[in-house]
């Protein structure tokens, strides 16, 4: 395992904060993290950044390092008039905001980012709302480190790699939940939409964004939804476009909507057509959506780059295991890398997708049971009708509803009985079926916000693939 002084491939490293810095610590960090890193010190703290996706800035009594991208950078920068800040790099922008209004300023940020901020005595680390960019923390013998890389935390503290057996066991049994633990002992994960403060007196973490607060809160009138959707989708695509973009197009309902909003805005801003990238499967006609993809691309005047996938889901598995520093949910890393590599070959560095719509619209777990439990009969009838319009059999709907309303103890007993002798003896069946799903109302609200409150392991794996590409 790598230690300080030995070469190390920090695939994810772009920002790291260290407290206390100590004599010669800045030089030591630069030696460990590579010659292209930039390190600055203030008081007892050091901040290092590396690579084109990061920036480092300082002001009166503060130092800020940031990785990633602030999507609403232009809007926020227009509010700042500070002659002491040289330029509006992402780090300068965020550092100025935090120095003026404190951690409340994180609420205004939108994008894909992680960063550290320090006044020399305390070190704050933070992560974007959805967890697109990772952030980890570690402490060892009075040393406090925050970085977007697990192994950067390990190397900076010199603590070495030690497997967190409890985490590995919990992962196997599906018990991670919203835990902040990682597969490396001594390294913890910062949750999405959260910040952490470390100083000589200890640590404190808190959320600056809670998606649960947005569930069924101040719902707009039905007739206002189309106009609001139009405004927000236009704003969203405007914020994420860079000029070297493409839409990852499929024949579903999500990406064509993104393309419909993005294509005209892209043409107006950059005076060229917005391209699309998509895999096609001519040898698998039952799942191939090429006809629908071409229909959308032609209608919107989008140059279309298609490819036939040539890699398998398990290709280069050993290499991915080495890079990930821990297990992740089932996700095809090699296939994702192939898509990104095709995009990059066409000069595309920002791939826009609509996949989050699937979580909002196509995974409404326990929705009907929630409406019934709340005795909201009219919405329940409308929801039932919508399922029937999708050709879901009435028997299936009733079965789901009965299952969702059945007490957990009964469901668990049924599940254990179904497993029977099919489960290997070395698997603890009592721990395999463990999730005591709560009351329908609470559980449904949690599910709606789950994509912004979980550990984001899949997104961290995607992040590694993107850095590799």
């Amino acid at each position: 395992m790598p230690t300080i002084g030995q070469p190390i491939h920090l695939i994810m490293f772009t920002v790291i904060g260290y407290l206390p810095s100590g004599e010669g610590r800045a030089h030591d960090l630069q030696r460990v993290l590579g010659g292209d890193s930039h390190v600055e010190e203030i008081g007892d703290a050091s901040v290092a950044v590396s690579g084109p996706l990061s920036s480092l800035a300082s002001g009166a009594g503060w130092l800020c390092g940031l990785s990633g991208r602030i999507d609403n950078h232009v809007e926020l920068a227009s509010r700042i008039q500070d002659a002491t800040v040289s330029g509006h790099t992402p780090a300068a922008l965020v550092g100025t905001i935090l120095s003026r209004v404190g951690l409340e300023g994180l609420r205004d940020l939108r994008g894909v980012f992680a960063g550290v901020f320090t006044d020399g005595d305390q070190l704050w680390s933070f992560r974007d709302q959805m967890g697109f960019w990772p952030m980890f923390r570690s402490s060892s013998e009075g040393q406090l480190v925050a970085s977007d890389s697990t192994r950067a935390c390990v190397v900076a503290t010199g603590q070495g790699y030690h497997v967190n057996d409890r985490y590995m066991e919990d992962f196997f049994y599906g018990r991670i939940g919203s835990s902040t633990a990682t597969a490396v002992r001594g390294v913890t994960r910062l949750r999405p939409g959260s910040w952490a403060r470390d100083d000589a007196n200890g640590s404190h973490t808190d959320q600056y964004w809670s998606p649960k607060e947005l569930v069924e809160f101040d719902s707009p009138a039905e007739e206002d939804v189309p106009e609001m959707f139009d405004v927000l989708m236009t704003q969203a695509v405007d914020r994420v476009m860079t000029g070297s973009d493409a839409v990852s197009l499929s024949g579903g309902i999500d990406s064509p909507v993104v393309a419909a909003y993005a294509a005209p805005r892209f043409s107006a801003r950059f005076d060229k057509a917005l391209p699309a990238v998509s895999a096609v499967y001519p040898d698998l006609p039952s799942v191939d959506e090429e006809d629908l993809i071409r229909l959308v691309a032609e209608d919107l005047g989008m140059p279309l780059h298609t490819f036939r996938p040539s890699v398998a889901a398990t290709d280069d598995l050993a290499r991915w295991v080495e890079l990930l520093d821990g297990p992740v949910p089932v996700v095809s890393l090699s296939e994702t890398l192939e898509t990104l590599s095709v995009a990059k070959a066409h000069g595309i560095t920002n791939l826009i997708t609509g996949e989050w719509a699937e979580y909002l619209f196509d995974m409404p777990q326990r929705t009907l049971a929630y409406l019934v439990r709340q005795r909201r009969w009219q919405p329940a009838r409308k929801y039932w009708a919508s399922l029937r319009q999708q050709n879901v059999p009435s028997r299936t709907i009733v079965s789901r509803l009965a299952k969702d309303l059945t007490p957990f103890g009964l469901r668990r007993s049924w599940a254990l009985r179904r497993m029977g002798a099919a489960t290997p003896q070395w698997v603890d069946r009592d721990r395999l079926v463990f999730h005591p799903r709560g009351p329908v109302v609470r559980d449904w609200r949690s599910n709606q916000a789950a994509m912004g409150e979980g550990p984001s392991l899949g997104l961290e794996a995607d992040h590694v693939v993107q850095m590799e590409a």
Side-chain angles (χ1 to χ4, degrees):
M1 292 300 178
T3 59
I4 287 181
Q6 294 180 333
I8 181 169
H9 178 45
L10 294 177
I11 182 67
M12 287 165 52
F13 166 75
T14 52
V15 63
I16 183 171
Y18 187 88
L19 182 78
S21 59
E23 183 178 354
R25 186 60 195 179
H27 174 74
D28 195 30
L29 273 179
Q30 197 157 26
R31 176 173 60 85
V32 172
L33 300 175
D36 64 340
S37 60
H38 179 46
V39 185
E40 287 192 23
E41 292 181 294
I42 179 174
D44 290 329
S46 299
V47 176
V49 298
S50 176
L53 299 176
S54 64
S55 56
L56 183 62
S58 59
W62 59 266
L63 184 60
C64 182
L66 195 84
S67 295
R69 167 189 165 94
I70 306 298
D71 288 344
N72 58 338
H73 187 123
V74 174
E75 299 138 68
L76 295 176
S78 65
R79 305 179 193 174
I80 296 178
Q81 297 177 359
D82 190 338
T84 64
V85 177
S86 57
H88 287 310
T89 64
L93 173 74
V94 174
T96 302
I97 292 174
L98 296 183
S99 66
R100 289 182 176 182
V101 302
L103 296 172
E104 288 295 314
L106 294 173
R107 293 176 177 268
D108 294 329
L109 304 181
R110 298 291 183 272
V112 180
F113 60 86
V116 292
F117 178 86
T118 180
D119 60 4
D121 296 316
Q122 302 179 93
L123 180 71
W124 289 269
S125 51
F126 50 89
R127 187 180 183 188
D128 66 67
Q129 288 94 333
M130 301 306 296
F132 290 116
W133 203 285
M135 176 57 76
F136 305 95
R137 299 163 55 243
S138 183
S139 62
S140 176
E141 298 180 354
Q143 304 171 92
L144 304 168
V145 174
S147 175
D148 55 358
S149 166
T150 299
R151 60 187 68 186
C153 288
V154 171
V155 174
T157 58
Q159 66 191 42
Y161 275 85
H162 303 282
V163 174
N164 184 342
D165 295 327
R166 176 64 181 272
Y167 177 90
M168 299 295 288
E169 186 177 85
D170 286 345
F171 183 91
F172 176 80
Y173 283 107
R175 303 176 59 175
I176 295 299
S178 58
S179 170
T180 60
T182 71
V184 180
R185 196 188 312 163
V187 179
T188 59
R189 171 180 291 104
L190 188 62
R191 290 193 183 101
S194 299
W195 58 262
R197 183 192 68 237
D198 293 295
D199 57 28
N201 297 318
S203 303
H204 177 72
T205 61
D206 202 355
Q207 280 187 288
Y208 67 85
W209 183 73
S210 176
K212 284 183 181 178
E213 298 174 359
L214 305 176
V215 177
E216 291 199 312
F217 173 76
D218 195 23
S219 300
E222 191 169 346
E223 61 270 17
D224 294 334
V225 171
E227 182 179 354
M228 293 179 64
F229 183 86
D230 189 62
V231 170
L232 292 173
M233 278 294 293
T234 300
Q235 174 182 272
V237 298
D238 263 340
R239 283 177 170 176
V240 301
M241 290 189 298
T242 65
S244 60
D245 316 282
V247 173
S248 179
L249 197 59
S250 70
I253 64 169
D254 45 11
S255 58
V257 175
V258 174
Y261 278 88
R265 297 297 301 163
F266 185 89
S267 298
R269 283 181 57 182
F270 303 109
D271 196 29
K272 57 182 179 180
L274 176 66
V277 176
S278 183
V280 295
Y281 304 87
D283 298 330
L284 301 170
S286 63
V287 298
D288 187 38
E289 298 175 324
E290 184 173 359
D291 290 344
L292 296 173
I293 292 166
R294 293 195 179 278
L295 180 66
V296 173
E298 291 172 4
D299 185 67
L300 297 173
M302 303 175 71
L304 178 60
H305 306 299
T306 63
F307 67 99
R308 297 173 65 172
S310 60
V311 301
T314 54
D315 282 357
D316 294 327
L317 188 58
R319 182 169 67 97
W320 291 121
V321 169
E322 182 182 2
L323 293 177
L324 286 172
D325 289 320
V328 297
V330 177
V331 57
S332 179
L333 304 176
S334 294
E335 290 176 332
T336 301
L337 179 62
E338 183 178 30
T339 301
L340 298 179
S341 299
V342 169
K344 188 174 181 181
H346 291 284
I348 298 159
T349 58
N350 188 42
L351 200 57
I352 305 171
T353 75
E355 62 192 54
W356 284 99
E358 181 180 0
Y359 292 91
L360 290 173
F361 301 118
D362 202 35
M363 294 184 177
Q365 297 185 30
R366 308 187 84 184
T367 299
L368 184 58
Y370 169 79
L371 295 173
V372 170
R373 183 66 76 189
Q374 292 284 77
R375 299 184 180 181
R376 296 172 58 180
W377 308 118
Q378 184 175 355
R381 283 194 294 269
K382 291 178 65 175
Y383 190 76
W384 177 290
S386 72
L387 294 175
R388 293 294 294 123
Q389 289 174 359
Q390 299 171 48
N391 296 319
V392 179
S394 296
R395 181 181 300 178
T396 300
I397 301 174
V398 172
S399 175
R400 290 179 185 172
L401 181 60
K403 178 181 177 182
D404 288 339
L405 294 176
T406 300
F408 169 73
L410 284 177
R411 293 200 306 273
R412 184 175 182 276
S413 296
W414 294 340
L416 288 172
R417 193 177 300 117
R418 285 197 304 269
M419 287 180 184
T423 305
Q425 291 186 351
W426 54 269
V427 174
D428 187 341
R429 294 196 306 162
D430 288 340
R431 302 179 68 180
L432 189 59
V433 185
F434 94 101
H435 278 296
R437 298 176 74 175
V440 169
V441 173
R442 187 186 70 197
D443 202 45
W444 183 85
R445 290 181 181 275
S446 296
N447 277 328
Q448 304 312 299
M451 62 182 179
E453 293 193 333
S456 301
L457 300 182
L459 292 180
E460 290 174 6
D462 282 342
H463 177 77
V464 174
V465 181
Q466 291 176 52
M467 299 293 280
E468 183 74 0

